[in-house]
């Protein structure tokens, strides 16, 4: 009897491992959403305000089970947790200063070491913004015996961005967003769900945005040049529908592009 039970156990174990493998292969074949068994992902997402980083990053995070490190969120999180780096950053910010590259890189390192989500890799969003930051990031990863795999830039014409962003309307309580041209509310300036008034963010006006874009291009061009030299950079036309952008993104990450 013992022999039969052992044989049965062994067969069950073989069947369950085959079943898992079949699911994994089906997942790849169909390109279904959700976490995929893959090597750790290490990438940077570059793009001006309104290019779609906020749409694409959560999809990458869900698909590849990695962490999304947006500089602003990370700073706020470290300050809220009152970590040493957070305290240091708060002191500088309270005095109206800019947080140093060392502190930001230190925070990224801390997230990689302590944030469970980062075990599957990371997407960096909003950093690096300068060549010295890119060099600092490379050095920190090298210490961890890691290297970047992808640097993806969402490229879009400034005039189209201005049109996209200046038409944005927001329901402050829920964060629901509309667009005067592309996604208008049923009743002008009114939230479809609650009937409460919608607002336009103060920095979503054309003048403020044009200034932000000038600064963005001035800062970003050298960083893009830095990663083009390393062969990691790839550009995606971000004026396409989000679904098309996502298709190109997947092709880059999965090495088909």
């Amino acid at each position: 009897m013992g022999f039969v039970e052992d044989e049965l156990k062994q067969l069950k174990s073989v069947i369950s491992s085959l079943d898992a493998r079949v699911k994994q292969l089906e997942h790849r074949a169909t390109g279904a959403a959700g976490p995929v068994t893959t090597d750790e992902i290490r990438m940077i997402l570059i793009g001006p305000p309104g290019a779609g980083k906020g749409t694409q990053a959560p999809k990458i995070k869900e698909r590849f089970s990695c962490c999304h490190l947006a500089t602003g969120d990370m700073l706020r999180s470290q300050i809220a947790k009152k970590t040493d780096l957070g305290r240091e950053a708060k002191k500088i910010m309270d005095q109206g200063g800019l947080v140093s590259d060392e502190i930001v890189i230190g925070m990224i390192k801390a997230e990689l070491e302590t944030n469970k989500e980062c075990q599957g890799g990371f997407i960096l969003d909003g950093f690096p913004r300068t060549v010295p930051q890119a060099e600092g990031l490379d050095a920190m990863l090298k210490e961890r015996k890691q290297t970047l795999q992808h640097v993806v830039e969402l490229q879009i014409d400034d005039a189209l961005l201005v049109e996209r962003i200046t038409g944005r309307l927001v329901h402050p309580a829920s964060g629901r967003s509309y667009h005067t041209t592309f996604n208008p509310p049923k009743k002008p300036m009114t939230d479809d769900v609650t009937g409460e008034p919608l607002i336009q963010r103060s920095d979503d006006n054309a003048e403020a945005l044009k200034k932000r874009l000038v600064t963005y291009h001035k800062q970003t061009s050298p960083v893009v040049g830095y990663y083009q030299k390393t062969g990691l950079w790839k550009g995606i036309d971000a004026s396409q529908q989000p679904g098309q952008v996502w298709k190109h993104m997947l092709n880059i990450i999965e090495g088909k592009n």
Side-chain angles (χ1 to χ4, degrees):
M1 190 66 185
F3 172 75
V4 174
E5 279 176 357
D6 285 351
E7 185 109 345
L8 206 57
K9 263 186 198 166
Q10 213 172 341
L11 277 170
K12 277 182 179 168
S13 144
V14 169
I15 288 165
S16 89
S17 71
L18 279 172
D19 194 37
R21 185 75 185 126
V22 166
K23 277 186 183 150
Q24 199 180 325
L25 290 169
E26 275 176 350
H27 211 114
R28 283 193 177 166
T30 58
V36 170
T37 307
T38 182
D39 292 334
E40 195 179 299
I41 188 170
R42 295 181 296 279
M43 72 178 287
I44 290 170
L45 204 50
I46 297 174
K53 297 197 301 295
T55 303
Q56 298 299 322
K59 286 166 83 84
I60 301 167
K61 176 182 169 171
E62 185 189 353
R63 177 73 183 248
F64 295 99
S65 301
C66 59
C67 61
H68 172 208
L69 301 179
T71 323
D73 295 344
M74 208 165 46
L75 264 173
R76 284 187 285 276
S77 153
Q78 292 277 336
I79 290 168
K81 286 182 198 160
K82 295 187 165 65
T83 63
D84 290 347
L85 286 167
R87 283 199 192 98
E88 215 173 315
K90 188 176 186 310
K91 208 189 304 176
I92 295 164
M93 286 159 79
D94 286 348
Q95 290 163 2
L98 285 173
V99 178
S100 71
D101 295 354
E102 286 73 23
I103 289 178
V104 179
I105 289 169
M107 286 183 178
I108 294 168
K109 190 179 177 190
E111 290 286 336
L112 297 184
E113 285 168 1
T114 60
N115 183 340
K116 280 185 183 162
E117 284 186 337
C118 295
Q119 285 172 359
F122 62 85
I123 313 153
L124 267 180
D125 170 359
F127 188 93
R129 288 190 176 174
T130 65
V131 171
Q133 286 175 354
E135 291 168 342
L137 178 66
D138 279 352
M140 184 271 283
L141 289 172
K142 198 174 173 187
E143 276 174 31
R144 292 173 56 81
K145 298 187 169 48
Q146 290 179 325
T147 52
L148 279 171
Q149 299 164 322
H150 312 286
V151 176
V152 179
E153 183 184 9
L154 296 176
Q155 300 170 299
I156 187 165
D157 187 69
D158 282 5
L160 190 58
L161 266 187
V162 171
E163 187 190 349
R164 263 191 193 182
I165 288 190
T166 51
R168 277 204 301 210
L169 301 168
V170 181
H171 176 241
S174 68
R176 265 187 296 279
S177 63
Y178 300 85
H179 192 282
T180 48
T181 311
F182 309 119
N183 177 31
K186 288 170 189 162
K187 189 177 164 196
M189 293 305 289
T190 308
D191 179 44
D192 290 351
V193 180
T194 62
E196 291 168 353
L198 299 174
I199 62 155
Q200 185 172 33
R201 290 198 177 118
S202 58
D203 59 353
D204 279 356
N205 66 70
E207 283 319 300
L209 180 61
K210 281 173 187 165
K211 278 181 191 160
R212 278 161 77 197
L213 288 171
V214 167
T215 308
Y216 169 80
H217 292 306
K218 212 192 300 189
Q219 274 189 338
T220 311
S221 297
V223 177
V224 167
Y226 176 85
Y227 287 120
Q228 279 172 331
K229 280 181 204 146
T230 64
L232 289 175
W233 176 91
K234 291 256 171 48
I236 296 179
D237 173 6
S239 67
Q240 305 171 95
Q241 289 296 322
Q244 284 299 107
V245 174
W246 173 236
K247 208 182 273 183
H248 288 296
M249 185 75 74
L250 270 185
N251 284 343
I252 288 171
I253 295 170
E254 293 177 346
K256 295 171 191 163
N257 196 338

